[in-house]
Amino acid sequence: MMRKNMRQLSCATLILAACSLAACSSATGGLTFPADSFGYSTPTQSGEQMPQARNASDDLNTLLRHGTGTVTVAYMSGQPLPEALVKFFEENSGFTLVQHHADSTADLPEHVDVIVGVDDTDAQKISAATNVKIFSAQSATIAADSTNTHVPDALAYGRDDVCVHADTSWYSANRIDIPSGIDSLTDPAHSGRLVIPDPHSSAEGRSFAQLIAQMKGTDALTWISALRGNGVTIASDMPHVLSAWSAADVIAESSSTANKPQSTEEHSAAAPATSSEDADRKPLIVAAQSVAAVSRDNTGTQTAAQVVSGTCVQRIVRALGVVTDQRETLSEGTESFMAFLTSPAGQRLIAQTGWVRPIEEGHVEATPAQWFFPIQEDAAVLSEELLADPVATVKNW
């Protein structure tokens, strides 16, 4: 079934997208900029002077430590590292990235050099483990006001807030208004339409549970009971959430047509549905904002996902440099990769690939990060107490 009436970008944005689809040639001091997984060229056009936000190629040559060998990267949530980002780092550092997916801290591989996609709660949990030591790269850039006071070496490289997302095509086709505000989720008018990942096993689900705990306080249990009574579906993990979404066919199409990230494992976002499964799919899901980037149509200019206002919680994503032996410093490859993530070139590639929103806002202009998941001004900032005690938060779920 063809999907219609997906949210349109502005004419100016479409013009920018068309311009960035043009082929590019790098004039960046020997650094090689590949095309990213969105199909947008990176980071300059032929004969074009780099904007100030990207004008750091010489500095990057200094920041990147060069060598050989592998850097093992575990990604905790969201998508693997984009192909363009992996290719750029490998070609300009000499190191090889090997990726593993981990649904939770219990799934982390025995040997890992860097863990990415880590939120503040998981950063505290990992740092408390007795068999690991957390370090930050000496040459990494620390963004203003991004330090986790409990785990100061947890390096912030992006932001990927968790929100309720509506499938705009479903609501348009059914001529129903998209809900607004957190309390609309318990309204019988929206009964049976929401899928959330299990807060006990999913970082996104836990973030949503923390949001409810902060917003509702002592009334949280009453609100959760009302949500259950309104037919919420709790899925085991994010892939099952995405498969249960009415926009899952768009995700499957986007995944099959886009350049797949380089990884040692296949991590499916969503599978195409049979006709019977399609009828059971729901138009509302709890997910990170980057879901908008993987639910684009095949033109890359429209997304099925629209944030439901008043349902977002801020989530800074971090990289942890991990040492599990007797060493007191990170490997050369780990140092190089973490410095790259926070460098101007790394931040721009993060924005252009739509992996997450870069932590440095100066790099988002005219990128998928700006178009598809802008910052929601009403996103809640979790208290230190809620971040530090996830067990108490999720026990009512």
Side-chain angles (χ1 to χ4, degrees):
M1 173 179 170
M2 295 185 60
R3 308 184 60 82
K4 300 178 181 179
N5 301 315
M6 298 176 74
R7 183 157 52 113
Q8 300 288 330
L9 299 178
S10 67
C11 292
T13 300
L14 288 172
I15 292 171
L16 286 168
C19 291
S20 61
L21 281 165
C24 70
S25 61
S26 174
T28 55
L31 295 177
T32 304
F33 289 90
D36 64 39
S37 58
F38 266 81
Y40 299 104
S41 56
T42 59
T44 62
Q45 305 299 323
S46 178
E48 174 188 331
Q49 182 67 32
M50 282 198 303
Q52 185 175 359
R54 312 177 201 175
N55 197 11
S57 55
D58 291 337
D59 291 339
L60 183 61
N61 272 322
T62 303
L63 284 174
L64 285 183
R65 300 190 183 189
H66 299 79
T68 58
T70 61
V71 179
T72 302
V73 181
Y75 56 98
M76 289 288 298
S77 62
Q79 300 297 308
L81 301 175
E83 181 182 8
L85 191 145
V86 171
K87 184 177 181 182
F88 180 95
F89 174 74
E90 291 183 342
E91 289 184 351
N92 292 288
S93 72
F95 296 102
T96 300
L97 295 178
V98 178
Q99 297 188 66
H100 296 271
H101 175 245
D103 283 320
S104 68
T105 54
D107 298 323
L108 291 170
E110 184 176 351
H111 171 77
V112 61
D113 296 307
V114 187
I115 310 171
V116 297
V118 181
D119 64 17
D120 285 324
T121 296
D122 275 335
Q124 294 183 44
K125 184 176 181 180
I126 293 170
S127 68
T130 58
N131 62 328
V132 301
K133 291 172 284 186
I134 305 299
F135 293 92
S136 182
Q138 296 177 2
S139 52
T141 301
I142 309 299
D145 302 320
S146 69
T147 301
N148 181 315
T149 56
H150 297 284
V151 192
D153 286 330
L155 180 66
Y157 64 84
R159 179 170 168 177
D160 200 8
D161 295 357
V162 171
C163 312
V164 176
H165 297 267
D167 174 7
T168 55
S169 292
W170 187 96
Y171 279 94
S172 177
N174 288 279
R175 299 183 180 181
I176 298 173
D177 290 336
I178 291 174
S180 177
I182 202 73
D183 288 333
S184 65
L185 303 177
T186 62
D187 188 332
H190 300 289
S191 177
R193 294 178 185 159
L194 175 66
V195 184
I196 69 172
D198 190 342
H200 296 275
S201 57
S202 162
E204 293 89 348
R206 183 188 61 224
S207 293
F208 184 70
Q210 290 170 318
L211 171 68
I212 299 306
Q214 178 157 304
M215 294 182 71
K216 296 301 179 180
T218 56
D219 293 328
L221 182 57
T222 300
W223 191 92
I224 295 168
S225 297
L227 187 68
R228 289 185 180 275
N230 210 36
V232 66
T233 298
I234 299 180
S236 58
D237 53 29
M238 277 310 304
H240 283 89
V241 169
L242 296 178
S243 294
W245 194 26
S246 56
D249 57 329
V250 178
I251 296 177
E253 182 178 349
S254 176
S255 299
S256 65
T257 56
N259 292 331
K260 291 187 177 181
Q262 296 174 351
S263 174
T264 59
E265 302 171 1
E266 191 71 22
H267 178 50
S268 175
T274 64
S275 57
S276 60
E277 289 174 329
D278 188 65
D280 293 332
R281 285 177 165 175
K282 315 297 183 183
L284 297 172
I285 60 169
V286 168
Q289 270 196 282
S290 54
V291 74
V294 296
S295 55
R296 298 164 297 120
D297 70 354
N298 56 12
T299 70
T301 60
Q302 302 176 62
T303 178
Q306 178 176 319
V307 168
V308 174
S309 63
T311 66
C312 290
V313 55
Q314 177 179 298
R315 190 177 67 149
I316 303 298
V317 285
R318 303 178 183 274
L320 306 183
V322 178
V323 173
T324 56
D325 53 28
Q326 298 305 308
R327 290 181 296 125
E328 293 297 329
T329 58
L330 299 175
S331 69
E332 290 289 296
T334 304
E335 280 273 354
S336 186
F337 177 66
M338 293 184 71
F340 167 63
L341 281 181
T342 57
S343 70
Q347 288 284 285
R348 186 66 183 180
L349 275 169
I350 288 172
Q352 287 179 311
T353 56
W355 185 34
V356 295
R357 190 178 180 95
I359 196 67
E360 293 286 1
E361 283 294 308
H363 301 283
V364 302
E365 183 179 358
T367 69
Q370 180 187 44
W371 301 331
F372 297 125
F373 36 100
I375 288 176
Q376 303 296 308
E377 297 300 330
D378 59 1
V381 178
L382 294 176
S383 68
E384 291 287 333
E385 181 182 4
L386 285 172
L387 289 171
D389 191 8
V391 175
T393 301
V394 304
K395 67 182 181 180
N396 294 325
W397 293 81

